Amino acid sequence: DLSAGKAYAQIVNVRSVQSTRLRIAPGDEDASYLISKVKGDATITGSRMPLGGALPPERVNLLVDWVRRGAPND
């Protein structure tokens, strides 16, 4: 459930179903499985996110920056 008020608790410091890594590991982009999924890294299981395409580089950079800043709930 990625609706407002629920999404944060579903992705930050929560273990991924497809990996032993956290979905989002605050402060650590390399330990954040979601970052690997949006980048399409060879380490992922299944398809790159989002399905059917790729995020523009500037969107990926925003996500990476948010994780590096500790994934604040803002």
Side-chain angles (χ1 to χ4, degrees):
D1 183 354
L2 297 179
S3 61
K6 295 183 180 182
Y8 191 84
Q10 298 292 320
I11 62 170
V12 177
N13 286 315
V14 175
R15 200 143 315 275
S16 170
V17 175
Q18 295 180 337
S19 171
T20 58
R21 295 160 53 196
L22 295 177
R23 291 176 178 166
I24 295 292
D28 190 349
E29 69 180 279
D30 294 328
S32 299
Y33 192 61
L34 182 62
I35 299 296
S36 294
K37 290 288 279 189
V38 298
K39 288 182 173 181
D41 290 347
T43 62
I44 66 171
T45 299
S47 301
R48 179 182 193 156
M49 291 178 67
L51 283 177
L55 291 175
E58 60 272 9
R59 293 288 181 149
V60 174
N61 291 340
L62 284 172
L63 184 58
V64 168
D65 181 59
W66 174 72
V67 171
R68 285 180 182 161
R69 291 185 295 114
N73 189 3
D74 55 7

